[in-house]
Amino acid sequence: MKLQVLVLAGDGIGGEVTREAVRVLRHVAGKWNHTLTLTEGLLGAVAIHKTGTPLPDETARLAEAADATLMGAVGLPEFDNAPPDKRPERGLLGLRQKLGVYANLRPVRAYPSLLGSSPLKNDRVEGTDMIIVRELTGGIYYGTPRGISGSGAEERAVNTMTYSRPEIERVTRMAFHLAGGRRKKVTSIDKSNVLENSQLWRRVVIETAREFPAIELEHMLVDNCAMQLVLNPRRFDVVLTENMFGDILSDEGAVLAGSIGMLPSASIGDRKPSGAWVGLYEPVHGSAPDIAGQNKANPLGAVGSVAAMLEYSFGLKDEAAAVNSAIERVLQSGKVTADLQPRGKPATTDEVGEAICAAIG
Ligand code: NAD
Protein backbone atom coordinates (compact mmCIF):
# COMPACT_ATOMS: atom_id res chain seq x y z
CA MET A 1 0.00 0.00 0.00
CA LYS A 2 1.15 3.59 -0.63
CA LEU A 3 1.30 5.68 2.55
CA GLN A 4 1.78 9.43 2.11
CA VAL A 5 2.37 10.97 5.50
CA LEU A 6 3.05 14.58 6.46
CA VAL A 7 5.21 15.00 9.57
CA LEU A 8 4.86 18.18 11.66
CA ALA A 9 7.30 17.75 14.53
CA GLY A 10 6.46 21.15 16.11
CA ASP A 11 8.15 22.44 19.25
CA GLY A 12 9.95 21.29 22.42
CA ILE A 13 9.84 17.51 22.81
CA GLY A 14 7.65 17.33 19.67
CA GLY A 15 10.77 16.76 17.55
CA GLU A 16 12.15 14.08 19.86
CA VAL A 17 9.02 11.95 20.18
CA THR A 18 8.11 12.37 16.50
CA ARG A 19 11.55 11.13 15.47
CA GLU A 20 10.83 7.85 17.29
CA ALA A 21 7.30 7.64 15.91
CA VAL A 22 8.72 8.01 12.40
CA ARG A 23 11.33 5.36 13.15
CA VAL A 24 8.51 2.95 14.05
CA LEU A 25 6.45 3.94 11.00
CA ARG A 26 9.44 3.31 8.69
CA HIS A 27 10.06 -0.03 10.38
CA VAL A 28 6.43 -1.12 9.93
CA ALA A 29 6.41 0.01 6.29
CA GLY A 30 9.59 -1.97 5.65
CA LYS A 31 8.35 -5.11 7.37
CA TRP A 32 4.95 -5.18 5.62
CA ASN A 33 6.24 -3.89 2.26
CA HIS A 34 4.33 -0.63 2.16
CA THR A 35 5.68 2.31 0.17
CA LEU A 36 6.06 5.15 2.64
CA THR A 37 6.48 8.74 1.44
CA LEU A 38 7.27 11.21 4.22
CA THR A 39 7.03 14.98 3.83
CA GLU A 40 7.99 17.47 6.54
CA GLY A 41 6.29 20.79 7.33
CA LEU A 42 6.30 23.63 9.85
CA LEU A 43 3.70 24.20 12.57
CA GLY A 44 3.66 26.13 15.84
CA ALA A 45 6.50 28.20 17.30
CA VAL A 46 9.04 26.86 14.81
CA ALA A 47 6.75 28.05 12.00
CA ILE A 48 6.36 31.50 13.61
CA HIS A 49 10.14 31.82 13.85
CA LYS A 50 10.67 30.86 10.23
CA THR A 51 7.60 32.32 8.48
CA GLY A 52 5.87 34.70 10.91
CA THR A 53 2.71 32.57 11.21
CA PRO A 54 1.90 29.41 13.23
CA LEU A 55 0.16 27.71 10.27
CA PRO A 56 1.89 28.61 6.99
CA ASP A 57 -0.22 28.16 3.82
CA GLU A 58 2.33 25.62 2.62
CA THR A 59 1.71 23.44 5.70
CA ALA A 60 -2.07 23.58 5.19
CA ARG A 61 -1.59 22.62 1.53
CA LEU A 62 0.71 19.71 2.42
CA ALA A 63 -1.75 18.46 5.06
CA GLU A 64 -4.65 18.52 2.61
CA ALA A 65 -2.58 16.61 0.05
CA ALA A 66 -1.27 13.93 2.48
CA ASP A 67 -3.15 10.72 3.35
CA ALA A 68 -2.51 11.42 7.03
CA THR A 69 -0.60 13.86 9.24
CA LEU A 70 1.61 12.94 12.19
CA MET A 71 2.17 15.77 14.66
CA GLY A 72 4.44 16.24 17.68
CA ALA A 73 3.35 19.12 19.91
CA VAL A 74 3.29 22.90 19.70
CA GLY A 75 3.92 25.71 22.17
CA LEU A 76 6.84 27.53 23.79
CA PRO A 77 6.83 29.70 26.93
CA GLU A 78 8.18 32.71 24.98
CA PHE A 79 4.77 32.98 23.27
CA ASP A 80 2.69 32.86 26.48
CA ASN A 81 1.82 36.57 26.23
CA ALA A 82 1.71 36.84 22.43
CA PRO A 83 -1.50 38.01 20.69
CA PRO A 84 -3.86 35.10 19.84
CA ASP A 85 -3.02 34.91 16.12
CA LYS A 86 0.71 34.79 16.88
CA ARG A 87 0.48 31.88 19.33
CA PRO A 88 1.71 28.42 18.33
CA GLU A 89 -1.52 26.75 19.55
CA ARG A 90 -3.49 28.81 17.02
CA GLY A 91 -1.69 26.85 14.30
CA LEU A 92 -3.01 23.58 15.67
CA LEU A 93 -6.60 24.84 15.99
CA GLY A 94 -6.36 26.22 12.44
CA LEU A 95 -5.06 22.91 11.09
CA ARG A 96 -7.85 20.92 12.76
CA GLN A 97 -10.40 23.27 11.23
CA LYS A 98 -8.77 23.24 7.81
CA LEU A 99 -8.80 19.44 7.70
CA GLY A 100 -12.34 19.27 9.12
CA VAL A 101 -11.29 16.70 11.73
CA TYR A 102 -14.38 16.84 13.90
CA ALA A 103 -13.84 13.82 16.16
CA ASN A 104 -10.94 13.48 18.56
CA LEU A 105 -10.37 9.89 19.67
CA ARG A 106 -8.40 9.28 22.83
CA PRO A 107 -7.93 5.70 23.91
CA VAL A 108 -7.28 5.35 27.66
CA ARG A 109 -5.90 2.00 28.80
CA ALA A 110 -4.49 0.88 32.10
CA TYR A 111 -1.46 -1.21 31.13
CA PRO A 112 -0.86 -3.91 33.80
CA SER A 113 2.85 -3.02 34.02
CA LEU A 114 2.03 0.63 34.72
CA LEU A 115 -0.60 0.21 37.43
CA GLY A 116 1.95 1.36 40.00
CA SER A 117 2.39 4.69 38.17
CA SER A 118 -1.29 5.60 38.36
CA PRO A 119 -2.18 7.92 41.24
CA LEU A 120 -5.33 5.83 41.80
CA LYS A 121 -5.46 2.55 43.69
CA ASN A 122 -4.58 -0.40 41.45
CA ASP A 123 -7.89 -2.19 41.98
CA ARG A 124 -9.76 0.89 40.75
CA VAL A 125 -7.76 1.30 37.56
CA GLU A 126 -7.07 -2.32 36.62
CA GLY A 127 -8.90 -3.39 33.46
CA THR A 128 -9.69 0.17 32.31
CA ASP A 129 -10.04 0.26 28.53
CA MET A 130 -12.07 3.13 27.12
CA ILE A 131 -12.00 5.52 24.23
CA ILE A 132 -13.09 9.11 24.63
CA VAL A 133 -14.68 10.59 21.48
CA ARG A 134 -14.61 14.37 21.76
CA GLU A 135 -16.32 16.66 19.24
CA LEU A 136 -13.46 18.87 18.06
CA THR A 137 -14.54 21.64 15.70
CA GLY A 138 -17.69 23.04 17.30
CA GLY A 139 -19.04 24.16 20.66
CA ILE A 140 -17.86 26.97 22.88
CA TYR A 141 -14.27 27.05 21.55
CA TYR A 142 -15.50 28.22 18.15
CA GLY A 143 -18.96 29.74 18.78
CA THR A 144 -19.73 33.40 18.19
CA PRO A 145 -20.43 35.99 19.53
CA ARG A 146 -17.34 35.90 21.68
CA GLY A 147 -15.06 38.51 23.21
CA ILE A 148 -14.49 40.94 26.06
CA SER A 149 -16.14 44.36 26.02
CA GLY A 150 -16.63 47.42 28.22
CA SER A 151 -14.40 48.54 31.04
CA GLY A 152 -14.43 48.96 34.80
CA ALA A 153 -17.62 47.68 36.41
CA GLU A 154 -19.15 47.37 32.92
CA GLU A 155 -16.47 44.99 31.65
CA ARG A 156 -17.90 41.63 30.58
CA ALA A 157 -16.94 38.60 28.56
CA VAL A 158 -19.05 36.31 26.41
CA ASN A 159 -18.55 32.92 24.77
CA THR A 160 -21.17 30.97 22.89
CA MET A 161 -21.74 27.23 23.07
CA THR A 162 -23.41 26.27 19.83
CA TYR A 163 -24.06 22.98 18.04
CA SER A 164 -26.08 22.16 14.96
CA ARG A 165 -27.90 18.86 14.46
CA PRO A 166 -25.48 17.64 11.71
CA GLU A 167 -22.46 18.38 13.91
CA ILE A 168 -23.91 16.18 16.66
CA GLU A 169 -25.06 13.44 14.27
CA ARG A 170 -21.68 12.90 12.59
CA VAL A 171 -19.66 12.60 15.79
CA THR A 172 -22.34 10.36 17.29
CA ARG A 173 -22.08 8.02 14.29
CA MET A 174 -18.30 7.93 14.71
CA ALA A 175 -18.68 6.91 18.38
CA PHE A 176 -21.22 4.20 17.56
CA HIS A 177 -19.07 2.79 14.73
CA LEU A 178 -16.17 2.51 17.17
CA ALA A 179 -18.34 0.90 19.83
CA GLY A 180 -19.37 -1.75 17.27
CA GLY A 181 -15.77 -2.99 17.19
CA ARG A 182 -15.45 -2.89 20.99
CA ARG A 183 -17.73 -3.72 23.95
CA LYS A 184 -20.77 -2.15 22.26
CA LYS A 185 -21.58 0.55 24.78
CA VAL A 186 -21.68 4.35 24.34
CA THR A 187 -21.94 6.75 27.28
CA SER A 188 -23.00 10.20 26.06
CA ILE A 189 -21.98 13.07 28.32
CA ASP A 190 -23.93 16.31 28.64
CA LYS A 191 -25.28 18.89 31.06
CA SER A 192 -28.87 18.62 29.92
CA ASN A 193 -30.25 19.51 33.36
CA VAL A 194 -29.01 23.08 32.81
CA LEU A 195 -27.99 23.76 29.18
CA GLU A 196 -30.30 23.90 26.14
CA ASN A 197 -27.26 23.03 24.08
CA SER A 198 -27.00 19.74 25.96
CA GLN A 199 -30.73 19.12 25.59
CA LEU A 200 -30.35 19.19 21.82
CA TRP A 201 -27.19 17.07 22.12
CA ARG A 202 -29.05 14.37 24.09
CA ARG A 203 -32.08 14.38 21.76
CA VAL A 204 -29.96 14.07 18.60
CA VAL A 205 -27.77 11.35 20.15
CA ILE A 206 -30.90 9.33 21.03
CA GLU A 207 -32.31 9.72 17.50
CA THR A 208 -28.98 8.85 15.80
CA ALA A 209 -28.48 5.85 18.09
CA ARG A 210 -31.55 4.20 16.49
CA GLU A 211 -29.32 3.50 13.46
CA PHE A 212 -27.24 1.22 15.73
CA PRO A 213 -29.66 -1.11 17.52
CA ALA A 214 -26.91 -3.48 18.67
CA ILE A 215 -25.14 -0.77 20.69
CA GLU A 216 -26.20 0.14 24.22
CA LEU A 217 -26.58 3.88 24.91
CA GLU A 218 -26.52 5.55 28.30
CA HIS A 219 -26.45 9.23 29.26
CA MET A 220 -24.46 10.80 32.05
CA LEU A 221 -24.17 14.35 33.32
CA VAL A 222 -20.67 15.75 32.95
CA ASP A 223 -20.21 16.38 36.68
CA ASN A 224 -21.08 12.77 37.47
CA CYS A 225 -18.78 11.58 34.68
CA ALA A 226 -15.86 13.49 36.21
CA MET A 227 -16.52 11.54 39.41
CA GLN A 228 -17.11 8.12 37.78
CA LEU A 229 -13.84 8.38 35.83
CA VAL A 230 -11.91 8.09 39.07
CA LEU A 231 -14.42 5.98 41.05
CA ASN A 232 -15.09 3.30 38.46
CA PRO A 233 -13.28 3.89 35.14
CA ARG A 234 -13.84 0.25 34.06
CA ARG A 235 -17.54 0.96 33.49
CA PHE A 236 -16.77 3.02 30.35
CA ASP A 237 -16.32 1.68 26.83
CA VAL A 238 -16.90 4.61 24.39
CA VAL A 239 -17.43 8.03 25.98
CA LEU A 240 -19.05 10.54 23.60
CA THR A 241 -18.89 14.21 24.45
CA GLU A 242 -18.85 17.77 23.13
CA ASN A 243 -15.69 19.84 22.75
CA MET A 244 -15.08 21.55 26.10
CA PHE A 245 -16.40 18.71 28.31
CA GLY A 246 -14.17 16.35 26.29
CA ASP A 247 -11.13 18.58 26.69
CA ILE A 248 -11.47 18.46 30.46
CA LEU A 249 -12.56 14.82 30.86
CA SER A 250 -9.89 13.44 28.56
CA ASP A 251 -7.11 15.03 30.61
CA GLU A 252 -8.67 13.45 33.69
CA GLY A 253 -8.69 10.15 31.81
CA ALA A 254 -5.04 10.68 30.91
CA VAL A 255 -4.02 10.35 34.54
CA LEU A 256 -5.46 6.83 34.68
CA ALA A 257 -2.79 5.58 32.26
CA GLY A 258 0.06 6.55 34.58
CA SER A 259 1.76 9.26 32.51
CA ILE A 260 0.50 11.79 30.00
CA GLY A 261 3.46 10.74 27.84
CA MET A 262 1.69 7.40 27.19
CA LEU A 263 -1.41 8.72 25.50
CA PRO A 264 -2.04 8.79 21.76
CA SER A 265 -4.81 10.65 19.98
CA ALA A 266 -6.43 10.63 16.57
CA SER A 267 -8.46 13.48 15.11
CA ILE A 268 -10.66 12.17 12.34
CA GLY A 269 -12.82 13.80 9.68
CA ASP A 270 -14.85 12.46 6.79
CA ARG A 271 -13.73 9.70 4.46
CA LYS A 272 -11.65 10.62 1.39
CA PRO A 273 -12.68 9.26 -2.05
CA SER A 274 -10.06 6.51 -1.44
CA GLY A 275 -12.10 5.35 1.58
CA ALA A 276 -9.43 6.41 4.10
CA TRP A 277 -10.46 8.67 6.98
CA VAL A 278 -8.88 12.15 6.97
CA GLY A 279 -6.70 12.02 10.06
CA LEU A 280 -4.37 14.07 12.23
CA TYR A 281 -2.44 11.95 14.74
CA GLU A 282 -0.60 13.31 17.76
CA PRO A 283 0.27 12.45 21.34
CA VAL A 284 -1.97 14.08 23.93
CA HIS A 285 0.90 15.81 25.75
CA GLY A 286 2.30 19.26 24.99
CA SER A 287 5.81 20.42 24.12
CA ALA A 288 7.11 19.92 27.71
CA PRO A 289 9.71 22.73 27.65
CA ASP A 290 10.96 21.54 31.07
CA ILE A 291 12.47 18.36 29.58
CA ALA A 292 12.95 19.38 25.92
CA GLY A 293 16.30 18.62 24.27
CA GLN A 294 17.30 16.06 26.93
CA ASN A 295 16.37 12.83 25.15
CA LYS A 296 14.21 11.78 28.09
CA ALA A 297 10.66 12.36 26.83
CA ASN A 298 8.41 9.31 26.66
CA PRO A 299 7.75 8.62 22.96
CA LEU A 300 5.01 6.02 23.50
CA GLY A 301 2.12 8.49 23.04
CA ALA A 302 3.59 9.41 19.66
CA VAL A 303 4.22 5.75 18.80
CA GLY A 304 0.63 4.88 19.80
CA SER A 305 -0.50 7.67 17.47
CA VAL A 306 1.25 5.84 14.62
CA ALA A 307 -0.75 2.72 15.53
CA ALA A 308 -3.94 4.80 15.38
CA MET A 309 -2.91 6.19 11.97
CA LEU A 310 -2.28 2.71 10.59
CA GLU A 311 -5.69 1.56 11.80
CA TYR A 312 -7.96 4.52 11.01
CA SER A 313 -6.39 6.22 7.98
CA PHE A 314 -4.99 3.11 6.26
CA GLY A 315 -7.16 0.29 7.60
CA LEU A 316 -3.97 -1.68 8.46
CA LYS A 317 -5.26 -3.48 11.55
CA ASP A 318 -2.52 -6.12 11.78
CA GLU A 319 0.22 -3.49 11.61
CA ALA A 320 -1.57 -1.36 14.23
CA ALA A 321 -1.99 -4.36 16.52
CA ALA A 322 1.72 -5.19 16.13
CA VAL A 323 2.69 -1.68 17.25
CA ASN A 324 0.29 -1.77 20.22
CA SER A 325 1.52 -5.16 21.31
CA ALA A 326 5.14 -3.96 21.00
CA ILE A 327 4.25 -1.08 23.36
CA GLU A 328 2.91 -3.60 25.91
CA ARG A 329 6.02 -5.76 25.66
CA VAL A 330 8.42 -2.84 26.01
CA LEU A 331 6.50 -1.67 29.08
CA GLN A 332 6.74 -5.14 30.57
CA SER A 333 10.48 -5.26 29.85
CA GLY A 334 10.96 -2.17 32.05
CA LYS A 335 12.85 -0.28 29.32
CA VAL A 336 10.91 2.93 29.92
CA THR A 337 11.58 6.65 30.33
CA ALA A 338 11.86 8.45 33.68
CA ASP A 339 8.20 9.60 33.79
CA LEU A 340 7.18 5.94 34.25
CA GLN A 341 9.48 5.58 37.26
CA PRO A 342 11.41 2.46 36.24
CA ARG A 343 13.23 0.48 38.95
CA GLY A 344 16.60 0.73 37.18
CA LYS A 345 18.19 3.44 35.05
CA PRO A 346 15.57 5.20 32.90
CA ALA A 347 15.77 4.59 29.16
CA THR A 348 16.27 7.49 26.74
CA THR A 349 13.70 8.52 24.14
CA ASP A 350 15.58 6.87 21.29
CA GLU A 351 16.28 3.68 23.26
CA VAL A 352 12.52 3.25 23.69
CA GLY A 353 11.96 3.82 19.96
CA GLU A 354 14.62 1.20 19.12
CA ALA A 355 13.08 -1.22 21.62
CA ILE A 356 9.66 -0.84 19.97
CA CYS A 357 11.12 -1.67 16.54
CA ALA A 358 12.95 -4.67 17.99
CA ALA A 359 9.73 -5.88 19.64
CA ILE A 360 7.84 -5.59 16.34
CA GLY A 361 10.56 -7.79 14.88
P1 NAD B 1 2.86 19.39 28.76
O1 NAD B 1 2.05 18.22 28.37
O2 NAD B 1 3.83 19.88 27.76
O3 NAD B 1 3.70 19.02 30.09
C1 NAD B 1 3.07 18.72 31.33
C2 NAD B 1 4.02 17.89 32.21
O4 NAD B 1 4.10 16.56 31.67
C3 NAD B 1 5.46 18.41 32.21
O5 NAD B 1 6.03 18.21 33.47
C4 NAD B 1 6.19 17.55 31.19
O6 NAD B 1 7.56 17.39 31.43
C5 NAD B 1 5.42 16.23 31.31
N1 NAD B 1 5.39 15.54 30.03
C6 NAD B 1 4.62 15.86 28.95
N2 NAD B 1 4.85 15.01 27.94
C7 NAD B 1 5.77 14.14 28.38
C8 NAD B 1 6.43 13.04 27.78
N3 NAD B 1 6.18 12.64 26.52
N4 NAD B 1 7.34 12.36 28.52
C9 NAD B 1 7.61 12.72 29.78
N5 NAD B 1 7.02 13.74 30.42
C10 NAD B 1 6.11 14.46 29.71
O7 NAD B 1 1.87 20.54 29.20
P2 NAD B 1 2.17 22.06 29.64
O8 NAD B 1 3.45 22.12 30.41
O9 NAD B 1 0.92 22.54 30.23
O10 NAD B 1 2.36 22.85 28.27
C11 NAD B 1 3.62 23.12 27.67
C12 NAD B 1 3.37 23.75 26.29
O11 NAD B 1 2.72 22.79 25.45
C13 NAD B 1 2.43 24.97 26.34
O12 NAD B 1 2.92 25.91 25.42
C14 NAD B 1 1.09 24.41 25.89
O13 NAD B 1 0.28 25.39 25.27
C15 NAD B 1 1.53 23.36 24.90
N6 NAD B 1 0.56 22.27 24.69
C16 NAD B 1 0.43 21.80 23.42
C17 NAD B 1 -0.40 20.73 23.16
C18 NAD B 1 -0.47 20.22 21.75
O14 NAD B 1 0.39 20.54 20.94
N7 NAD B 1 -1.45 19.40 21.43
C19 NAD B 1 -1.11 20.13 24.20
C20 NAD B 1 -0.94 20.61 25.51
C21 NAD B 1 -0.09 21.68 25.74
Side-chain angles (χ1 to χ4, degrees):
M1 190 171 177
K2 287 198 170 112
L3 320 178
Q4 287 203 2
V5 177
L6 172 66
V7 179
L8 303 172
D11 310 317
I13 62 167
E16 298 162 57
V17 297
T18 307
R19 193 183 56 227
E20 299 316 311
V22 167
R23 185 201 298 270
V24 172
L25 185 56
R26 282 187 199 279
H27 184 81
V28 168
K31 180 169 172 172
W32 273 270
N33 281 323
H34 300 300
T35 311
L36 176 65
T37 312
L38 292 169
T39 318
E40 288 183 16
L42 298 170
L43 184 78
V46 63
I48 299 177
H49 282 142
K50 290 200 175 153
T51 70
T53 165
L55 175 59
D57 291 344
E58 173 67 0
T59 300
R61 193 189 62 72
L62 289 171
E64 280 173 325
D67 293 329
T69 299
L70 180 66
M71 237 195 66
V74 295
L76 283 184
E78 66 182 88
F79 291 98
D80 281 354
N81 298 315
D85 61 334
K86 292 280 180 232
R87 293 184 66 135
E89 293 79 0
R90 184 52 76 94
L92 177 55
L93 291 181
L95 186 63
R96 286 173 177 164
Q97 235 182 359
K98 190 99 195 156
L99 290 175
V101 286
Y102 56 80
N104 182 239
L105 280 42
R106 288 190 181 189
V108 178
R109 287 184 61 192
Y111 291 98
S113 41
L114 289 187
L115 287 179
S117 316
S118 171
L120 298 187
K121 290 192 183 111
N122 289 1
D123 60 335
R124 286 269 157 90
V125 193
E126 207 170 2
T128 297
D129 180 4
M130 75 180 92
I131 182 159
I132 300 179
V133 179
R134 163 188 167 196
E135 202 291 328
L136 199 59
T137 51
I140 198 164
Y141 292 173
Y142 292 96
T144 52
R146 65 186 297 161
I148 303 175
S149 60
S151 60
E154 300 302 315
E155 193 170 20
R156 61 172 56 241
V158 62
N159 288 96
T160 304
M161 188 186 241
T162 169
Y163 271 109
S164 67
R165 172 176 280 275
E167 284 175 316
I168 305 169
E169 283 171 349
R170 64 186 183 177
V171 72
T172 300
R173 289 197 183 101
M174 179 83 75
F176 275 78
H177 275 300
L178 285 168
R182 297 174 49 96
R183 300 198 307 280
K184 299 192 169 39
K185 180 174 163 188
V186 172
T187 307
S188 173
I189 310 303
D190 61 43
K191 188 70 184 165
S192 59
N193 53 343
V194 179
L195 300 175
E196 285 80 359
N197 199 273
S198 281
Q199 287 157 14
L200 179 69
W201 179 276
R202 188 175 284 213
R203 189 151 48 79
V204 175
V205 169
I206 290 172
E207 288 168 17
T208 311
R210 293 193 189 117
E211 298 167 21
F212 303 87
I215 312 284
E216 181 192 344
L217 168 66
E218 68 170 355
H219 304 277
M220 190 179 280
L221 296 176
V222 61
D223 36 353
N224 185 23
C225 180
M227 197 167 64
Q228 295 300 327
L229 274 175
V230 286
L231 280 179
N232 186 11
R234 267 190 300 268
R235 76 188 300 296
F236 295 109
D237 179 17
V238 176
V239 177
L240 166 65
T241 177
E242 66 86 49
N243 201 345
M244 182 172 64
F245 297 162
D247 191 5
I248 298 166
L249 294 174
S250 57
D251 269 27
E252 189 185 351
V255 177
L256 303 172
S259 163
I260 191 157
M262 285 302 302
L263 287 160
S265 85
S267 302
I268 312 274
D270 285 326
R271 280 183 195 268
K272 291 190 172 191
S274 64
W277 298 100
V278 172
L280 175 64
Y281 301 86
E282 54 179 314
V284 164
H285 61 75
S287 57
D290 53 333
I291 57 165
Q294 299 171 38
N295 198 18
K296 64 185 195 188
N298 183 347
L300 293 179
V303 171
S305 303
V306 165
M309 172 189 289
L310 292 166
E311 179 167 353
Y312 300 128
S313 276
F314 300 117
L316 299 173
K317 294 201 171 186
D318 289 349
E319 288 84 335
V323 175
N324 283 326
S325 114
I327 292 176
E328 293 224 37
R329 273 175 290 144
V330 168
L331 289 174
Q332 274 160 13
S333 77
K335 194 170 201 129
V336 295
T337 42
D339 54 308
L340 297 176
Q341 300 158 4
R343 289 221 177 86
K345 186 169 167 269
T348 58
T349 309
D350 46 13
E351 283 170 349
V352 175
E354 284 160 15
I356 294 286
C357 293
I360 293 170

